[in-house]
Amino acid sequence: MRYAIIGFGKIGQALAKAFARKGLEVSVATTRDPESFASDAAAIGPTIIPKTLADAVKADIIFLAVRFESHPDVAKALPSWEGKTIIDATNVFPVPEELDGLPSSAFVAKAFAGAKLVKGFNHLIAATLAADPIVEGGHRVVFLSSDDEDAIAPVAALAKQLGFAPVKLGKLNEGGTLVHARGRTWGQLIFQDLFKKEQ
Protein backbone atom coordinates (compact mmCIF):
# COMPACT_ATOMS: atom_id res chain seq x y z
CA MET A 1 0.00 0.00 0.00
CA ARG A 2 1.42 3.38 -1.02
CA TYR A 3 0.53 6.60 0.79
CA ALA A 4 0.66 10.27 -0.17
CA ILE A 5 -0.14 13.61 1.42
CA ILE A 6 -1.22 16.39 -0.95
CA GLY A 7 -0.65 19.74 0.72
CA PHE A 8 2.29 20.56 2.94
CA GLY A 9 1.01 23.33 5.17
CA LYS A 10 0.40 22.84 8.89
CA ILE A 11 -1.95 19.85 8.51
CA GLY A 12 0.14 18.18 5.79
CA GLN A 13 3.27 18.50 7.92
CA ALA A 14 1.42 17.23 11.01
CA LEU A 15 0.37 14.12 9.07
CA ALA A 16 3.94 13.68 7.78
CA LYS A 17 5.19 13.74 11.39
CA ALA A 18 2.77 10.90 12.24
CA PHE A 19 4.25 8.81 9.40
CA ALA A 20 7.83 9.72 10.35
CA ARG A 21 7.22 8.72 13.98
CA LYS A 22 6.38 5.19 12.81
CA GLY A 23 9.09 5.05 10.11
CA LEU A 24 6.45 4.71 7.39
CA GLU A 25 7.19 6.05 3.92
CA VAL A 26 4.82 8.67 2.51
CA SER A 27 5.04 10.87 -0.58
CA VAL A 28 4.33 14.56 -0.06
CA ALA A 29 3.36 16.95 -2.82
CA THR A 30 1.91 20.36 -3.51
CA THR A 31 1.18 22.14 -6.77
CA ARG A 32 4.71 23.59 -6.45
CA ASP A 33 8.04 22.07 -7.43
CA PRO A 34 9.17 19.46 -4.84
CA GLU A 35 12.51 21.25 -4.45
CA SER A 36 10.65 24.16 -2.83
CA PHE A 37 9.70 22.09 0.23
CA ALA A 38 12.38 19.37 0.18
CA SER A 39 14.24 20.83 3.17
CA ASP A 40 11.03 20.95 5.27
CA ALA A 41 10.35 17.30 4.38
CA ALA A 42 13.92 16.28 5.24
CA ALA A 43 13.60 18.05 8.61
CA ILE A 44 10.65 15.80 9.49
CA GLY A 45 12.38 12.55 8.59
CA PRO A 46 13.92 10.31 5.91
CA THR A 47 10.63 8.52 5.13
CA ILE A 48 8.96 11.76 3.98
CA ILE A 49 9.54 11.83 0.21
CA PRO A 50 8.91 15.06 -1.74
CA LYS A 51 7.35 14.36 -5.14
CA THR A 52 5.56 16.12 -7.94
CA LEU A 53 1.79 16.06 -7.76
CA ALA A 54 1.73 13.77 -10.84
CA ASP A 55 3.94 11.23 -9.03
CA ALA A 56 2.28 11.50 -5.63
CA VAL A 57 -1.19 10.67 -6.97
CA LYS A 58 0.07 7.22 -7.98
CA ALA A 59 -0.39 6.26 -4.30
CA ASP A 60 -3.29 4.04 -3.18
CA ILE A 61 -4.39 6.15 -0.19
CA ILE A 62 -4.08 9.92 -0.52
CA PHE A 63 -4.57 12.51 2.22
CA LEU A 64 -6.09 15.72 0.91
CA ALA A 65 -4.57 18.41 3.14
CA VAL A 66 -4.96 21.50 0.95
CA ARG A 67 -7.27 24.48 1.45
CA PHE A 68 -10.83 23.46 0.56
CA GLU A 69 -10.94 25.84 -2.41
CA SER A 70 -7.81 24.20 -3.89
CA HIS A 71 -9.30 20.69 -4.12
CA PRO A 72 -10.49 21.08 -7.77
CA ASP A 73 -6.89 21.86 -8.83
CA VAL A 74 -5.69 18.63 -7.20
CA ALA A 75 -8.55 16.66 -8.77
CA LYS A 76 -7.34 17.67 -12.24
CA ALA A 77 -4.12 15.67 -11.69
CA LEU A 78 -5.85 12.46 -12.85
CA PRO A 79 -8.64 11.88 -15.38
CA SER A 80 -10.04 9.08 -13.18
CA TRP A 81 -9.43 8.32 -9.51
CA GLU A 82 -10.72 4.76 -9.82
CA GLY A 83 -9.07 2.40 -7.29
CA LYS A 84 -7.88 5.21 -5.02
CA THR A 85 -9.00 6.27 -1.56
CA ILE A 86 -9.02 9.98 -0.73
CA ILE A 87 -8.89 10.95 2.95
CA ASP A 88 -10.46 14.41 3.10
CA ALA A 89 -8.73 16.28 5.92
CA THR A 90 -10.01 19.68 4.75
CA ASN A 91 -12.33 22.01 6.64
CA VAL A 92 -14.39 24.88 5.25
CA PHE A 93 -15.98 27.57 7.42
CA PRO A 94 -18.29 29.32 6.99
CA VAL A 95 -19.84 26.92 4.51
CA PRO A 96 -20.08 28.44 1.01
CA GLU A 97 -23.53 28.58 -0.58
CA GLU A 98 -22.49 26.56 -3.64
CA LEU A 99 -22.42 23.39 -1.51
CA ASP A 100 -26.26 23.36 -1.70
CA GLY A 101 -26.57 21.89 1.78
CA LEU A 102 -24.18 19.01 1.08
CA PRO A 103 -21.47 18.15 3.61
CA SER A 104 -18.24 19.64 2.19
CA SER A 105 -16.77 16.14 1.78
CA ALA A 106 -19.66 15.07 -0.45
CA PHE A 107 -18.86 18.11 -2.58
CA VAL A 108 -15.15 17.15 -2.64
CA ALA A 109 -16.08 13.55 -3.58
CA LYS A 110 -17.75 14.81 -6.77
CA ALA A 111 -14.43 16.31 -7.95
CA PHE A 112 -12.51 13.03 -7.48
CA ALA A 113 -14.51 10.89 -9.92
CA GLY A 114 -14.16 7.17 -9.23
CA ALA A 115 -12.36 7.52 -5.87
CA LYS A 116 -13.60 6.27 -2.53
CA LEU A 117 -13.69 9.20 -0.11
CA VAL A 118 -13.29 9.09 3.67
CA LYS A 119 -13.64 12.18 5.84
CA GLY A 120 -10.98 11.92 8.53
CA PHE A 121 -8.08 13.48 10.44
CA ASN A 122 -9.78 16.88 10.07
CA HIS A 123 -11.17 17.54 13.54
CA LEU A 124 -7.85 18.16 15.34
CA ILE A 125 -5.78 21.31 15.16
CA ALA A 126 -2.40 20.82 13.48
CA ALA A 127 -0.33 20.99 16.69
CA THR A 128 -2.44 18.23 18.29
CA LEU A 129 -2.42 16.11 15.13
CA ALA A 130 1.39 16.40 15.00
CA ALA A 131 1.86 15.28 18.62
CA ASP A 132 2.40 11.68 19.69
CA PRO A 133 -1.10 10.11 19.65
CA ILE A 134 -0.32 7.77 22.56
CA VAL A 135 -1.31 9.69 25.68
CA GLU A 136 -1.60 8.40 29.25
CA GLY A 137 -1.99 4.81 28.11
CA GLY A 138 -4.67 5.69 25.55
CA HIS A 139 -4.73 6.54 21.85
CA ARG A 140 -5.89 9.86 20.39
CA VAL A 141 -9.18 9.42 18.53
CA VAL A 142 -9.63 10.20 14.83
CA PHE A 143 -13.14 10.15 13.41
CA LEU A 144 -13.83 8.51 10.04
CA SER A 145 -16.96 8.78 7.94
CA SER A 146 -17.72 7.69 4.38
CA ASP A 147 -20.56 6.88 2.05
CA ASP A 148 -18.51 3.87 0.96
CA GLU A 149 -18.38 1.30 3.76
CA ASP A 150 -15.47 -0.58 2.14
CA ALA A 151 -13.31 2.53 2.19
CA ILE A 152 -13.22 2.91 5.97
CA ALA A 153 -11.47 -0.38 6.84
CA PRO A 154 -8.08 0.37 5.16
CA VAL A 155 -8.12 3.94 6.49
CA ALA A 156 -8.93 2.69 10.01
CA ALA A 157 -6.06 0.19 9.70
CA LEU A 158 -3.69 3.00 8.69
CA ALA A 159 -4.91 5.19 11.57
CA LYS A 160 -4.11 2.35 14.00
CA GLN A 161 -0.70 1.86 12.40
CA LEU A 162 -0.01 5.56 13.00
CA GLY A 163 -0.99 5.14 16.67
CA PHE A 164 -4.49 6.65 16.58
CA ALA A 165 -7.80 5.13 17.69
CA PRO A 166 -10.19 5.26 14.72
CA VAL A 167 -13.87 5.80 15.52
CA LYS A 168 -16.36 5.25 12.68
CA LEU A 169 -19.18 7.76 12.38
CA GLY A 170 -21.06 6.17 9.47
CA LYS A 171 -22.13 8.08 6.36
CA LEU A 172 -21.17 11.67 5.58
CA ASN A 173 -24.73 12.98 6.03
CA GLU A 174 -25.29 10.92 9.20
CA GLY A 175 -22.58 10.78 11.89
CA GLY A 176 -20.22 12.55 9.49
CA THR A 177 -22.07 15.82 10.09
CA LEU A 178 -20.45 15.89 13.55
CA VAL A 179 -17.08 16.63 11.91
CA HIS A 180 -18.34 19.06 9.26
CA ALA A 181 -19.18 22.73 9.50
CA ARG A 182 -22.85 23.43 8.87
CA GLY A 183 -23.80 26.92 7.83
CA ARG A 184 -22.06 29.09 10.41
CA THR A 185 -21.51 26.50 13.12
CA TRP A 186 -18.89 23.78 13.53
CA GLY A 187 -19.91 20.15 14.00
CA GLN A 188 -19.90 19.11 17.65
CA LEU A 189 -16.79 16.92 17.39
CA ILE A 190 -14.56 19.49 15.66
CA PHE A 191 -11.57 20.42 17.91
CA GLN A 192 -12.50 17.76 20.51
CA ASP A 193 -9.30 16.06 21.63
CA LEU A 194 -10.46 12.63 22.80
CA PHE A 195 -8.62 9.48 23.85
CA LYS A 196 -9.58 5.84 23.79
CA LYS A 197 -8.18 3.49 26.42
CA GLU A 198 -7.18 -0.06 25.48
CA GLN A 199 -10.02 -2.49 26.18
Side-chain angles (χ1 to χ4, degrees):
M1 194 72 76
R2 293 171 301 168
Y3 306 109
I5 300 165
I6 310 299
F8 206 51
K10 288 180 181 174
I11 294 294
Q13 291 190 31
L15 289 165
K17 285 172 184 169
F19 276 85
R21 196 178 294 115
K22 295 294 184 179
L24 289 173
E25 189 171 297
V26 65
S27 303
V28 293
T30 70
T31 50
R32 304 191 316 272
D33 187 289
E35 288 302 310
S36 66
F37 55 90
S39 61
D40 290 333
I44 294 173
T47 62
I48 311 306
I49 315 296
K51 291 198 174 172
T52 62
L53 182 57
D55 273 343
V57 297
K58 292 174 184 170
D60 305 291
I61 294 182
I62 299 164
F63 286 87
L64 188 63
V66 296
R67 292 194 317 273
F68 173 80
E69 55 271 22
S70 300
H71 79 267
D73 297 330
V74 177
K76 289 174 193 157
L78 283 177
S80 168
W81 293 80
E82 200 73 43
K84 300 193 181 294
T85 299
I86 304 288
I87 301 173
D88 179 15
T90 67
N91 284 314
V92 58
F93 184 83
V95 175
E97 287 180 13
E98 71 261 22
L99 300 194
D100 288 334
L102 285 175
S104 60
S105 289
F107 195 78
V108 169
K110 288 184 183 180
F112 292 87
K116 295 177 178 178
L117 184 132
V118 177
K119 182 73 165 182
F121 293 83
N122 69 298
H123 82 284
L124 296 169
I125 61 168
T128 305
L129 189 59
D132 189 336
I134 298 170
V135 183
E136 295 173 19
H139 293 259
R140 180 166 279 125
V141 166
V142 290
F143 297 108
L144 305 176
S145 60
S146 179
D147 290 343
D148 193 320
E149 187 60 39
D150 296 345
I152 291 188
V155 176
L158 174 60
K160 282 184 179 171
Q161 209 176 347
L162 295 173
F164 294 94
V167 172
K168 300 171 189 177
L169 296 180
K171 294 193 171 185
L172 296 175
N173 66 351
E174 295 171 356
T177 59
L178 297 170
V179 289
H180 278 85
R182 297 183 70 110
R184 297 195 166 270
T185 59
W186 286 108
Q188 294 93 317
L189 294 178
I190 293 271
F191 311 131
Q192 300 295 318
D193 187 12
L194 307 173
F195 305 93
K196 195 173 178 185
K197 294 281 189 183
E198 296 294 342
Q199 299 299 328

